[in-house]
């Protein structure tokens, strides 16, 4: 999933299937949208991401078994970086 100009979006989403041999996606957000995402609930982020992924793929996808979220700006050692 790439960035759409002028819209809130998930910057990059890559498949880690070749590395882990399990269906795993890794997605990045950046800038103001990243900061905004940290104020969303996990359910809101899940809904936003899955609807964006389905729109990009043009089909319904199964709900993930697990989603891991990071909130980098709240980490006193990372403070927004990764």
């Amino acid at each position: 999933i790439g960035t759409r100009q002028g819209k809130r979006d998930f910057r990059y989403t890559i498949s880690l299937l070749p590395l882990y041999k399990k269906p795993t996606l890794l997605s990045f957000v950046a800038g103001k949208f990243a900061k905004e995402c940290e104020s969303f609930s996990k359910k809101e982020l899940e809904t936003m991401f899955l609807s964006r992924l389905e729109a990009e793929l043009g089909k319904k996808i199964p709900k993930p078994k697990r989603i891991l979220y990071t909130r980098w700006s709240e980490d006193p050692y990372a403070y927004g970086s990764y």
Side-chain angles (χ1 to χ4, degrees), residues 14-26:
I14 56 175
S15 172
L16 299 178
L17 180 63
L19 180 63
Y20 293 114
K21 308 298 184 229
K22 293 183 178 183
T24 306
L25 294 176
L26 175 64

Side-chain angles (χ1 to χ4, degrees), residues 48-62:
M48 287 171 51
F49 178 72
L50 293 178
S51 63
R52 178 70 174 99
L53 187 59
E54 288 175 349
E56 199 65 31
L57 296 175
K59 63 181 179 180
K60 186 84 172 143
I61 59 170

Side-chain angles (χ1 to χ4, degrees), residues 34 38 71-82:
E38 292 196 359
R71 300 194 186 275
W72 291 103
S73 73
E74 295 175 6
D75 184 322
Y77 301 105
Y79 195 64
S81 65
Y82 57 89

Side-chain angles (χ1 to χ4, degrees), residues 4-62:
R4 294 182 297 173
Q5 292 292 356
K7 302 214 180 215
R8 306 181 320 170
D9 215 341
F10 296 89
R11 179 79 50 165
Y12 301 105
T13 299
I14 56 175
S15 172
L16 299 178
L17 180 63
L19 180 63
Y20 293 114
K21 308 298 184 229
K22 293 183 178 183
T24 306
L25 294 176
L26 175 64
S27 188
F28 296 93
V29 294
K32 291 177 185 176
F33 182 55
K35 189 72 172 167
E36 186 180 355
C37 282
E38 292 196 359
S39 69
F40 298 146
S41 70
K42 289 181 177 184
K43 184 65 180 166
E44 288 172 313
L45 283 171
E46 177 183 321
T47 300
M48 287 171 51
F49 178 72
L50 293 178
S51 63
R52 178 70 174 99
L53 187 59
E54 288 175 349
E56 199 65 31
L57 296 175
K59 63 181 179 180
K60 186 84 172 143
I61 59 170

